[in-house]
Amino acid sequence: MKNAEFNAECIKWNKEYKELFGVIPSIRDYACSREEFLDALRKSIETRSPVETYLIKKAMPLNPDALT
């Protein structure tokens, strides 16, 4: 899926998602493809469940400064 197509779809679904949950999810926070993200966004709206229900969050990198 091309970037412009993905962005257009996200705009459409993000508005509904924000009305339900008060936030807009970002694909950068999840380990998934664009298609998987859009599917999860649609399912979230249909089932009124957060997108985290359908996607796996990316692991946060460790802060090397915190280890010293």
Side-chain angles (χ1 to χ4, degrees):
M1 175 178 290
K2 293 185 180 184
N3 196 37
E5 182 183 356
F6 174 74
N7 290 338
E9 284 291 310
C10 279
I11 289 169
K12 179 172 66 174
W13 295 107
N14 281 342
K15 183 177 179 183
E16 289 186 57
Y17 191 92
K18 186 172 182 177
E19 288 176 11
L20 289 173
F21 300 103
V23 296
I24 296 175
S26 172
I27 190 171
R28 288 175 265 167
D29 295 333
Y30 302 96
C32 63
S33 68
R34 291 175 175 176
E35 291 81 6
E36 291 169 330
F37 183 77
L38 288 175
D39 285 342
L41 204 52
R42 287 184 202 114
K43 286 180 190 175
S44 293
I45 293 165
E46 289 172 7
T47 62
R48 299 185 181 271
S49 300
V51 74
E52 290 85 13
T53 305
Y54 305 103
L55 296 173
I56 297 171
K57 281 236 181 204
K58 285 183 181 176
M60 298 302 287
L62 286 176
N63 180 354
D65 296 331
L67 298 176
T68 57

